[in-house]
Amino acid sequence: MAAAASPTVFLLMVNGQIESAQFPEFDDLYCKYCFVYGYDWAPTSGLEEGISQITSKNRVAPQDLVWNFPIDITFKSTNPFGWPQIVISVYGPDLFGNDVVRGYGAVHIPFTPGRHRRTIPMFVPESTSKLQKFTSWLMGRRPEFTDPKVVAQGEGREVTRVRSQGFVTLSFNVVTKDMKKLGYDVSPASASNPSLPSVAGGIQNY
């Protein structure tokens, strides 16, 4: 009987939801999400991006905007470098009814299997002068990124003026397959086994 072939890739399966947001100054918001990942990664099933419904605050939890918008995707890779990140963009109407960005944020998918919860601090780009700020407010065209994925990449971010604004909470259910067979240990006790490289190094370097 022939021996089973050893795996050449590992799988990362993620499902969960974009639960809610806290934007005290705004209401009637919706969000978009997309994933950013390294060259060795490829999605095998699920959706890489999505857009939620519009949600409003309620009397029970006047500070929370609840979406409970599902996310579900599976990746394959040979290398933990470039571990996937999810990028969240939140939009809503301004005083003139124009849709404007209310926040950007990103977070790595947790690399340990199990259930996780993350709260992401959001930010928005700012105009570089008071005149530009007034003009953009008047015209309903606030500063925003042409590609939200830049939020997760870092290049050029040091020259972008931004302002913190709001939080978004997500929940993840993470399952990995064949990582140990390829020599990667994602268990919390990985530090106790120095023969297996930790996935955390690949995340921090991306």
Side-chain angles (χ1 to χ4, degrees):
M1 183 176 176
S6 58
T8 57
V9 299
F10 63 81
L11 298 179
L12 172 67
M13 293 159 275
V14 184
N15 64 56
Q17 56 187 8
I18 305 171
E19 293 184 353
S20 62
Q22 294 80 40
F23 285 86
E25 299 177 13
F26 306 115
D27 202 357
D28 301 324
L29 304 184
Y30 66 94
C31 71
K32 298 179 182 179
Y33 77 85
C34 61
F35 289 94
V36 177
Y37 43 85
Y39 294 113
D40 290 331
W41 291 78
T44 61
S45 66
L47 297 175
E48 282 193 71
E49 55 185 29
I51 180 170
S52 77
Q53 75 279 13
I54 297 173
T55 188
S56 303
K57 296 176 182 176
N58 59 60
R59 295 178 182 176
V60 177
Q63 295 300 317
D64 291 342
L65 293 146
V66 179
W67 288 304
N68 289 332
F69 188 66
I71 51 177
D72 189 354
I73 193 167
T74 299
F75 293 96
K76 68 177 181 180
S77 181
T78 59
N79 189 337
F81 181 78
W83 194 272
Q85 299 180 66
I86 185 170
V87 177
I88 307 293
S89 310
V90 177
Y91 298 85
D94 63 7
L95 291 175
F96 305 106
N98 302 303
D99 266 5
V100 295
V101 66
R102 294 306 189 190
Y104 294 106
V107 68
H108 280 98
I109 301 302
F111 59 89
T112 54
R115 181 169 175 81
H116 306 268
R117 207 157 182 260
R118 296 287 186 269
T119 297
I120 311 174
M122 307 295 282
F123 66 88
V124 288
E126 286 240 285
S127 299
T128 55
S129 70
K130 291 183 179 180
L131 177 60
Q132 285 180 331
K133 187 178 293 187
F134 175 74
T135 304
S136 64
W137 175 82
L138 192 63
M139 302 295 292
R141 296 180 61 86
R142 308 292 176 89
E144 61 180 271
F145 297 120
T146 54
D147 182 2
K149 291 183 178 181
V150 72
V151 173
Q153 293 166 345
E155 292 87 350
R157 285 276 306 280
E158 69 276 3
V159 296
T160 305
R161 179 180 294 181
V162 300
R163 172 169 50 89
S164 297
Q165 182 169 279
F167 297 88
V168 171
T169 299
L170 302 89
S171 61
F172 301 97
N173 296 299
V174 177
V175 177
T176 60
K177 184 175 185 289
D178 292 334
M179 289 198 72
K180 276 196 175 183
K181 291 181 181 179
L182 290 175
Y184 300 107
D185 191 353
V186 293
S187 66
S190 60
S192 64
N193 189 351
S195 64
L196 293 178
S198 170
V199 174
I203 294 177
Q204 291 167 353
N205 292 328
Y206 182 65

